[in-house]
């Protein structure tokens, strides 16, 4: 029987010190001793990317893009070497590979490259030699052999892309939380870790502000049919497994996105502004209606420079999104829950299996607790079925 | 007319801060503006290699050799990127290349690799595109594509090897002293900077303790017929040019080597001990006679472990070497100069165009001043010819 192949990804906090790297090595050795072939993707040690970026910005506030990639990619080179050394010290054969050595080929978009292709033959050969493979996350090379980086958070993308290319049995994202929660546990104390989440729900939660996984990683894993598992480096449990095509639960989670701006514009200029945004590389979060749209707060300044004349006003807002098969039918009931608590919903928008509420930032924690209690905590206790309970 | 090609090498101190890197960039731009094609080789920022080595040794006191190379080579990757960014910020097109990207192919001896071959086609193509090329010193790749390092001081080796492969018109080693001196100026205040030094004299001075250039760099430059120039990054002058096949001066320099041990051994065991040393990778500095040999102080412990039974005693000593065409004829006169000053010479040995004196460490500064005064400072003032003055 062919051994299972597992890709494990460890982020900056997991790789943040020699002690932590030792803990990482123990996770890897456990997977190897369980009879798996193991490929590991690592981020730079926490703080290192910022340190390097700080050096670059002492040189130039907008550093040369090609050279910034050369600079930043050194961060993962350090952490992967330290991990391979640690495994070696513990008696296991390990081999580190840069993005280039792992044949991760990207387009030429420095600082924000996209993986085009991974030639896995070298990795597979090393796996056949019983090696543990450590690959630098966040980096690749373009067709000229120049170093490229995938942008921040790119190590998850590297891991998922490698898992897809290697047809891995599971891609494990180790992080500092121990799974996917029904809401941010710092906001909602009763938030629960989800044992299993289906891909469409996870995608919608990631899109609407859940920070545990980057949206493109979820999308790639879904597309490549690689089961994703989110686990904690520092807390041994099964984490959350993301798999499956169909949205499974009436309400599985409540996502929070802060730091948005609701921009009011001259009526009928929305389309023109949307085009400006595309040219500026500013992503429009949502078009609310013909005279207002939702942007990330930090994109506003850019937009103001270009089309101040079309902007009438702006307001800081946050977005609360309820995800699940029942979400689209909860608008009225939600409004009944929030209105008596003096929570004004500025705008409601529906997507497939989700409902998003735009509100003032200082209401969002309270609103998240009210909706999470009603649709998840209480509902579970009551064997909740929203249609029956609230709509029927 | 084809433009001159200059290879410039900047060490760790030169690359030690963003401010210093700016000074380095100005040297490069000056060479470029003078109409040269410029290839630059850089070391890691000062302190960085030690920082990385410290991390490795927290993992393992003898870290995995392959992974140590991966780790340490990240140091030059950082400095080369910062330099290329600085040049770019100053309006010059520059491109950084790792050892692998520059096609510097070495043998597989991790941590102490030897350059086998450099395929310069990529560098030449970039030079034709008017780029300034920044190459990471101290590193290459072996035939498997694994990163290798050349050992400490290897950036000089990289620069000279690149200059040879590119048939450069000059290889400029920028450092924190402004040239080759007739003796260490910290010891002999009247030591003079030498405008020109021939290769055989420079080789002998480097072999016998002059620190300004590494011996293998001098040998490679001589063999490849690349003129070497030693200059200061922080002090603009012409430095010292090393070129020419023939030893030119009666006495051109006095070299000092500290930290040696004179080991007395059981008579006729010298050859056996020499073989032990080879097996241990301990280099024997000199065989003094059939019952004593000269070692670097820090090699003694290794030797003691293996053949304690053959060792009779040891003594810390230093070595003073007079280099020049007349050196071989100065033994008697030297003894006349040193004896009245209570300087005991334990042993005298002759090589082609040099005379080396073994003495106690606390005599060496005084002896260096006496011989430098007699054979260089005074001699120059008197239009010195040693045969005439002392021997004839």
């Amino acid at each position: 029987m062919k051994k299972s192949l597992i890709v494990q990804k460890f982020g900056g906090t997991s790789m943040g010190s020699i002690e932590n790297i030792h803990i990482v090595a123990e996770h890897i050795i456990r997977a190897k001793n369980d009879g798996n072939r193991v490929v590991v993707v690592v981020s730079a040690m926490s703080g290192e990317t910022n340190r390097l970026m700080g050096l670059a910005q002492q040189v130039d506030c907008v550093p040369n893009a090609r050279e910034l990639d050369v600079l930043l990619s050194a961060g993962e080179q350090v952490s992967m070497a330290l991990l391979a050394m640690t495994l070696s010290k513990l008696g296991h054969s390990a081999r580190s590979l840069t993005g280039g050595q792992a044949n991760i080929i990207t387009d030429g978009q420095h600082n924000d490259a996209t993986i085009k292709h991974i030639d896995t033959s070298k990795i597979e050969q090393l796996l056949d030699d019983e090696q543990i493979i450590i690959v630098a996350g966040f980096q690749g090379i373009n067709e000229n052999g120049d170093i490229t980086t995938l942008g921040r958070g790119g190590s998850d993308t590297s891991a998922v892309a490698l898992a897809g290319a290697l047809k891995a049995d599971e891609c494990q994202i180790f992080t500092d939380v121990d799974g996917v929660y029904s809401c941010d546990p710092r906001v909602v104390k009763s938030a629960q870790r989800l044992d299993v989440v289906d891909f469409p729900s996870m995608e919608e939660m990631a899109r609407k502000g859940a920070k545990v996984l980057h949206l493109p990683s979820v999308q790639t894993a879904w597309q490549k049919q690689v089961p994703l598992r989110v686990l904690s480096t520092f807390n041994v449990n099964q984490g959350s497994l993301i798999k499956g095509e169909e949205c499974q639960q009436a309400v599985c989670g409540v996502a929070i996105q802060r730091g948005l701006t609701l921009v009011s514009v001259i009526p009928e200029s929305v389309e023109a502004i949307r085009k400006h945004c595309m040219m500026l590389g500013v992503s429009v979060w949502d078009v609310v209606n013909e005279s207002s749209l939702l942007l990330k707060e930090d994109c506003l300044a850019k937009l103001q420079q270009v089309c101040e004349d079309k902007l009438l006003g702006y307001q800081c807002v946050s977005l609360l999104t309820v995800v699940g098969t029942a979400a689209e039918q909860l608008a009225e009931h939600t409004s009944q829950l929030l209105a008596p608590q003096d929570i004004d919903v500025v705008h409601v928008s529906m997507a497939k299996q989700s409902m998003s509420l735009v509100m003032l930032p200082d209401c969002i924690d309270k609103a998240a607790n009210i909706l999470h209690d009603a649709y998840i905590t209480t509902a579970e206790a009551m064997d909740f079925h929203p249609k029956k309970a609230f709509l029927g």
Side-chain angles (χ1 to χ4, degrees), chain A residues 77 80-81 84 94-98 101 132-135:
Chain A
Q77 193 166 321
M80 75 181 193
R95 203 68 78 89
S96 73
L97 300 174
T98 62
Q101 290 174 325
I132 296 166
I133 315 301
I134 319 289
V135 180

Side-chain angles (χ1 to χ4, degrees), chain A residues 39-280:
Chain A
V39 175
V40 180
V41 174
V42 296
S43 301
M45 296 173 85
S46 55
E48 182 65 3
T49 305
N50 287 338
R51 184 183 77 88
L52 293 171
M53 185 63 93
L55 286 171
Q57 289 192 325
Q58 283 180 55
V59 172
D60 194 344
C61 53
V62 185
N64 178 285
R66 178 190 186 276
E67 300 301 332
L68 186 60
D69 281 350
V70 174
L71 182 78
L72 296 182
S73 62
E76 285 78 31
Q77 193 166 321
V78 167
S79 61
M80 75 181 193
L82 291 172
L83 178 55
M85 274 176 203
T86 305
L87 287 163
S88 171
K89 164 84 175 167
L90 296 172
H92 291 263
S93 247
R95 203 68 78 89
S96 73
L97 300 174
T98 62
Q101 290 174 325
N103 289 312
I104 298 175
I105 311 300
T106 73
D107 62 13
Q109 192 66 43
H110 284 294
N111 312 163
D112 192 22
T114 302
I115 297 174
K116 305 298 269 186
H117 173 68
I118 303 177
D119 173 356
T120 57
S121 53
K122 180 167 186 174
I123 293 176
E124 289 180 80
Q125 184 200 318
L126 290 168
L127 285 171
D128 288 346
D129 290 348
E130 292 291 316
Q131 302 278 332
I132 296 166
I133 315 301
I134 319 289
V135 180
F138 171 69
Q139 60 180 253
I141 49 169
N142 66 18
E143 281 168 7
N144 288 333
D146 292 332
I147 297 168
T148 53
T149 68
L150 310 177
R152 288 253 173 160
S155 291
D156 284 7
T157 311
S158 303
V160 174
L162 267 169
L166 289 161
K167 302 192 189 348
D169 297 280
E170 192 168 296
C171 180
Q172 301 180 337
I173 309 288
F174 283 80
T175 176
D176 44 4
V177 297
D178 67 350
V180 178
Y181 275 74
S182 54
C183 191
D184 182 341
R186 289 166 301 185
V187 174
V188 175
K189 294 276 172 278
S190 59
Q192 300 149 21
R193 181 163 55 78
L194 305 171
D195 288 333
V196 181
V197 190
D198 55 86
F199 275 117
S201 298
M202 189 67 239
E203 189 201 29
E204 190 62 12
M205 287 199 280
R207 188 194 303 279
K208 294 297 167 61
K211 297 284 180 292
V212 62
L213 286 170
H214 296 272
L215 178 60
S217 310
V218 177
Q219 292 170 323
T220 308
W222 187 2
Q223 181 201 336
K224 304 268 183 191
Q225 287 295 314
V226 177
L228 269 182
R229 190 183 291 276
V230 177
L231 307 123
S232 165
T233 307
F234 308 108
N235 177 0
V236 179
N237 67 37
Q238 291 303 305
S240 299
L241 181 63
I242 297 129
K243 64 170 190 181
E245 295 291 301
E246 293 298 327
C247 191
Q248 296 288 338
Q249 283 184 273
V251 173
C252 69
V254 174
I256 295 171
Q257 174 69 48
R258 303 176 200 271
L260 297 175
T261 301
L262 185 66
V263 185
S264 307
V265 302
I266 294 174
E268 282 161 46
S269 65
V270 162
E271 261 321 296
I273 290 171
R274 196 180 189 135
K275 275 182 198 154
H276 274 302
C277 286
M278 272 179 66
M279 276 159 39
L280 291 170

Side-chain angles (χ1 to χ4, degrees), chain A residues 46 48 85 112 114 161 197 214 247 259 264 283 285 309 318 320 324 330 337 348 351 377 384:
Chain A
S46 55
E48 182 65 3
M85 274 176 203
D112 192 22
T114 302
V197 190
H214 296 272
C247 191
S264 307
S283 60
W285 191 273
D309 58 322
S318 293
L320 193 66
L330 295 177
L337 287 173
V348 179
T377 316
F384 167 75

Side-chain angles (χ1 to χ4, degrees), chain A residues 327-347:
Chain A
E328 290 173 77
Q329 299 150 319
L330 295 177
E332 195 184 329
H333 186 257
T334 293
S335 138
Q336 287 164 16
L337 287 173
L338 299 181
Q341 305 288 332
D342 289 330
I343 297 173
D344 275 342
V345 175
V346 180
H347 177 74

